[in-house]
Amino acid sequence: MRTLSTLPAVREPTLEVDLTAVAANTRRFARTTGGAVMAVVKADGFGHGLADVARTALAAGATWLGVTSLAEAVAVRAAGIDAPVLSWLNPVEVNAMTAWVHRIDLAVPSLLHLEVVVDAGYPVRVHLQLDTGLARDGAAPGDWPALVAAARRAEADGRITVAGVMGHLAMAAEPGHAANEIGRLAFLHGVDLAVRAGLRPSVRHLAATAAALTDPGTHLDLVRIGAGLVGIDPSGTTRLRSALRLTAPVVQVRRVPARVGIGYGHTYVTDRATTLALLPLGYADGLPRVASGRAEVQLAGRRRRVVGVISMDQIVVDLGDEPVEPGAEAVVFGPGDHGEPTVEDWAGWADTIPHEIVTGIGARVRRSVR
Ligand SMILES: *Cc1c(COP(=O)(O)O)cnc(C)c1O
């Protein structure tokens, strides 16, 4: 019989974050784009750690940080980071005093947002946000002249500074799509109207990762890069470095005969005698349940099928006739350099995009940064 001391060292599900990949990706954008680089670190740095990604990107050539909520921007300051920060998605009653105290630029998507910020009485810096084709955040083109006129009046009164104008593209993941040029021209027209109203925004910014990689005409003064920093290229044109590796230890191994149903609902039934390995990761840890029946992990040097339904806390892996020891390490995903599944594979199995996989890893997964 084995004694406990002969078992492998205790491991737990771990998300390894490779900041050298983030640094390399950042340098690539800093080198190849015309404008400055804003590192977009919303959603906890796309699941890679807000402060770690922010510091790494700034050290590698980014000069701005971008987030959605004011709370995320305050978290940047709480981490002791001093770079310019823009927060672009806030309710009307956003706390302008907090923005002013922490030197956080605010995007302003409507006249109402502008009036509330101006009335708050703190001379904050704002970026006027124009909807350039998503019908999502930003001012509709028809509302833009009134927004720039009101912003100009407030600036002339010394109540705000209009530091920037921003837009965003709906179809940038499809280079050459007509909507991209329409959006770009709509943005340039919006900037032109702002300048004619007397504003002098020093940063005009439109491009995110996909446009930055495929359309230099969108670079302007600043590009906002999120996915690209962590190795995701929505345009599918460029090989970037993936920064994540998710591993889990085998907690149990068992041999089962043919015609055994596995997991809830018996969605998979063995067609032969086989060996099963249990991993302590499930949908609560960010493995999408919809990937059940398609997903794979790497274990004992090879890709293995995940069988049965993905549970909240665990998955079962079919090893065939190749047993492994409890404690062996499975690679759920990684950069793919050693044949392991990638984040892109998981996105495909789950009918989603890599962004959703990397931002969805659960809080109880241990993080390990290098
Ligand atoms: C998330 C976001 C970005 C970053 O986009 P990526 O494609 O991840 O680089 C840029 N701009 C806005 C407005 C965003 O919401």
Side-chain angles (χ1 to χ4, degrees), residues 40 42 46 88 136 166 168 208-209 224-227:
V40 177
K42 62 188 182 185
F46 283 57
W88 64 69
R136 208 184 59 171
M166 71 183 286
H168 196 43
T209 295
R224 302 185 306 266
I225 310 298

Side-chain angles (χ1 to χ4, degrees), residues 130 141 144-145 148-149 186-199:
L130 175 63
W144 186 249
V148 297
F187 183 71
L188 294 177
H189 180 60
V191 171
D192 196 47
L193 291 179
V195 169
R196 280 200 248 161
L199 295 170

Side-chain angles (χ1 to χ4, degrees), residues 145-366:
L147 180 60
V148 297
R152 174 61 192 141
R153 283 193 300 275
E155 187 176 66
D157 292 345
R159 308 184 70 176
I160 56 166
T161 299
V162 177
V165 175
M166 71 183 286
H168 196 43
L169 295 171
M171 305 297 293
E174 292 179 42
H177 192 287
N180 293 320
E181 189 59 6
I182 292 169
R184 192 180 76 91
L185 294 175
F187 183 71
L188 294 177
H189 180 60
V191 171
D192 196 47
L193 291 179
V195 169
R196 280 200 248 161
L199 295 170
R200 294 291 176 269
S202 58
V203 281
R204 302 160 300 158
H205 46 112
L206 176 64
T209 295
L213 290 173
T214 60
D215 186 357
T218 63
H219 291 183
L220 303 171
D221 304 309
L222 185 65
V223 294
R224 302 185 306 266
I225 310 298
L229 297 187
V230 299
I232 297 169
D233 170 19
S235 75
T237 61
T238 311
R239 201 174 144 71
L240 301 167
R241 277 180 58 184
S242 173
L244 287 187
R245 193 163 172 271
L246 178 62
T247 64
V250 171
V251 296
Q252 197 180 353
V253 180
R254 68 162 64 181
R255 188 75 186 164
V256 294
R259 289 184 297 284
V260 167
I262 295 173
Y264 292 123
H266 284 182
T267 59
Y268 180 81
V269 178
T270 58
D271 57 7
R272 65 200 182 319
T274 191
T275 302
L276 303 175
L278 182 68
L279 300 180
L281 276 175
Y283 59 77
D285 306 294
L287 305 187
R289 190 172 176 279
V290 70
S292 301
R294 304 187 218 173
E296 298 171 351
V297 302
Q298 188 184 48
L299 185 49
R302 282 211 295 123
R303 294 254 197 138
R304 317 280 180 175
R305 291 170 63 202
V306 174
V307 288
V309 78
I310 293 173
S311 303
M312 184 184 293
D313 315 300
Q314 45 191 306
I315 55 176
V316 175
V317 177
D318 188 355
L319 290 165
D321 293 327
E322 296 169 52
V324 301
E325 295 292 307
E329 182 184 78
V331 183
V332 178
F333 58 69
D337 303 332
H338 303 285
E340 74 277 19
T342 61
V343 166
E344 281 73 16
D345 289 330
W346 275 91
W349 295 324
D351 290 326
T352 186
I353 54 175
H355 314 51
E356 190 174 342
I357 304 295
V358 300
T359 56
I361 303 303
R364 72 178 165 186
V365 176
R366 187 172 77 93

Side-chain angles (χ1 to χ4, degrees), residues 20-32 57 59-62 229 241:
T20 66
V22 174
N25 294 329
T26 306
R27 281 193 296 272
R28 181 194 183 100
F29 283 96
R31 203 172 57 233
T32 58
L229 297 187
R241 277 180 58 184

